[in-house]
Amino acid sequence: MENELVRIEGSVSAVVFQNAENGYTVLRLKDGNGELTTVVGVVPDTKAGERLRVEGRWSSHTTYGRQLEIVTLERLMPESRIEILAYLSSHAIRGIGPKIAARIVERFGADTLRIIENEPARLAEITGISEAKAREIHESFQSQQGLRHLVEFLGSYRLPAELAVRIYKTYGELSMMAIQDNPYFLTEEGFNAPFAQVDAFALELGFDGADERRVDAGLLYELSFNSTGGHVFVPEPQLVDATAAFLRLDRACIQEGLQRLAEQERVIVDTVASLTAVYLPAYGEAERYLARRFADMVNSRAALPANLARTVANIEAAQSLQYAELQRSAIFTAAAEKLLIVTGGPGTGKTTTLRGILDLFEQMRLKTFLTAPTGRAAKRLTELTGRDASTIHRLLEVDISPEDGQMVFVHNSCNPLNCDAVIVDETSMVDLLLMYELVQALPAGCRLILVGDPDQLPSVGAGNVFSDLIRSEKIPTMRLTEIFRQARESLIVMNAHRVNRGELPELRERKKDFFFLQRNSDKAVSQTVTDLCARRLPQSMGFRPAEIQVLTPTRKGETGTRALNRLLQQALNPPDEGKKEKKYGETVFREGDRVMQIRNNYDIIWNKVGGSGMGSGIFNGDVGTVQTIDYHAQTVTIRFDDREAVYPYDMLSQLEPAYAMTVHKSQGSEYRAVVLCAWRGTPLLLSRSILYTAITRARELLIVVGDEGVIEYMVRNDKKQKRFSGLKWRLCHIDG
């Protein structure tokens, strides 16, 4: 059976591929009968000649046939003279090459490795090895043994081997001591092991359930977990109750832990309105900073340029247009304020207003940067304005800290951006921490224009920044409300506004840009969606499949992204002898597939297509196409617009098919055609904001496939998930 565990013991014949960063390896293992097996998994720093005892499951590879994917691993040192010679000759130990290896094995035989570990001074008996070199060989061998023992130790508790690589890079020879002293550090940033897994490990090691280290880690985990749900802080009673419940401890024990963390400044406890709010330090500091900085910007108005009215009139003449009253007012306000919000729904002229502000700033000789939270939003901003725009991450420039290897931004309070103004589009997508990084990098006196639609979904990350700023009524805000004539001709635009007002969209009218197709089962919905993308829209309306994006509220079920992506891949990019493919987990990646990066990765190196430059960083939501799969190098090359990045197989967990995506993932993007699934599912995901956001993603055509009753439910379901955030309150209560 392919799913059964298989055990093989043998020596490493060859290392085909190895990622030094995480230990992912492809190797050939020779068993006692001389048979070779391809083994894949995390085997850090392995070399030819090393003995392994592997337990794993078979998987199929289109070129190399069956491969054994490691589940558990035991590393054994080579035993025979031949194995030891192969091991040492592979430069496994610093200071030993093939010639020296042959002399050592000739002298000490099968006892070689024991001599290196326990009697290294005897190595100096061999010609070409000094006492100093003998010590170097011994230290190199000891270092390798430390990592191997760590891998075995974690593996015996079913903890992933790649975790050992991260631990050893941080603690070196002290790794085992660090784990035994406090295994809960493995849940912290940089290690990111699941809390439940680490907790079970710690309890097996003999940690008491009420141990302070367990309580502290549980509280920090609960805060971190809530931040993934959008919360900037957690009220103290809820935090204590939730932590006590999942640790199965009494409240008094948890309360003591919270006080301990506050005294150690590992959490911030503050008052927000009538709540005692508990923050992770990064969120508390960011919220306080932004409230103060925004208040300062509001209080320091800019001097109005001379002849402002004439300048704006000249811009109108040059653009052959006439601004509406609210648009003109927004442009005039941008000239006077250091901080301005411009908001409005589809068809209300946000883009025209933004271009007017840009033209005015050019006339005022203000150096202005355009930015957006995602690559797709930045690309769209460039297309709409005719000016270069970048993601916030690229504007701030990502680097790696030499101190701890963590991601940092080049531009910050000590090295601000060289500009006079920054305009941010799709601001509703910007979370608290990213806004903090951006505002920190603004030089003194810099203007900030925030553009967006607060009725769309909030940011994926913690906070509700854009909405908080508007609702505080402390920030100058221009709301564009007039729907222009051309926009009124679009049923997409008019239905978006109907939904936003809590009215049912017009589903019966057969205008060319909005259609509704009633279906009575999830299977019928998925079949219709597939047929629209593969046949009907390309043949009858001239849309290429690459121009059509399928959206759905959910990942699960017949109309979720997982099932739809399998159907759409089969219809749009089926298996072909000329196309290589790689199965990773339950997903098959095939050359020609549309894929999406699902987490920020600042380390991925990309090259400009055509060789015009390179850089690093592929970010959550970036969509690309699988260009090539290299079976020998065990890599997949993805093209993201004009950039290409190479992914080792072990990094494929950061990608997923993107023929269909959730509405959340589509934020900040606009597609020529959208096919939206409206079918039954989790009530939390069938909301007005989900429907409104989905409708506003379509530029030329929107087809809704599903049940009219579901659409009615979504319109009426205006419940927004409450996010604990103190930014609005701080803006309203800031001193001075």
Side-chain angles (χ1 to χ4, degrees), residues 565-602:
N565 271 313
R566 285 193 292 269
L567 289 172
L568 290 165
Q569 182 190 47
Q570 183 64 31
L572 300 175
N573 190 31
D576 186 278
E577 288 185 4
K579 292 180 180 179
K580 297 177 184 176
E581 60 183 51
K582 163 64 181 172
K583 185 175 182 182
Y584 188 88
E586 297 301 312
T587 303
V588 174
F589 293 96
R590 186 174 297 129
E591 290 177 343
D593 276 340
R594 190 190 311 174
V595 294
M596 176 170 54
Q597 177 78 12
I598 58 173
R599 66 181 67 122
N600 289 339
N601 187 323
Y602 305 96

Side-chain angles (χ1 to χ4, degrees), residues 365-425:
R365 301 186 183 278
L366 299 179
K367 183 177 181 180
T368 304
F369 289 148
L370 277 176
T371 189
T374 68
R376 287 172 292 163
K379 181 182 178 184
R380 178 168 169 262
L381 186 56
T382 297
E383 293 168 351
L384 292 173
T385 63
R387 295 167 171 88
D388 288 339
S390 70
T391 64
I392 297 174
H393 287 86
R394 292 204 174 90
L395 178 66
L396 299 179
E397 297 182 52
V398 174
D399 200 2
I400 302 300
S401 168
E403 297 177 1
D404 56 13
Q406 296 296 310
M407 186 280 297
V408 294
F409 287 114
V410 172
H411 294 289
N412 49 44
S413 57
C414 298
N415 180 31
L417 295 163
N418 179 23
C419 64
D420 304 299
V422 172
I423 298 177
V424 184
D425 197 18

Side-chain angles (χ1 to χ4, degrees), residues 715-729:
V715 171
R716 291 177 177 171
N717 180 18
D718 195 29
K719 292 180 182 177
K720 293 182 172 64
Q721 186 180 6
K722 180 179 174 61
R723 291 187 170 194
F724 289 114
S725 164
L727 183 58
K728 172 180 174 287
W729 183 87

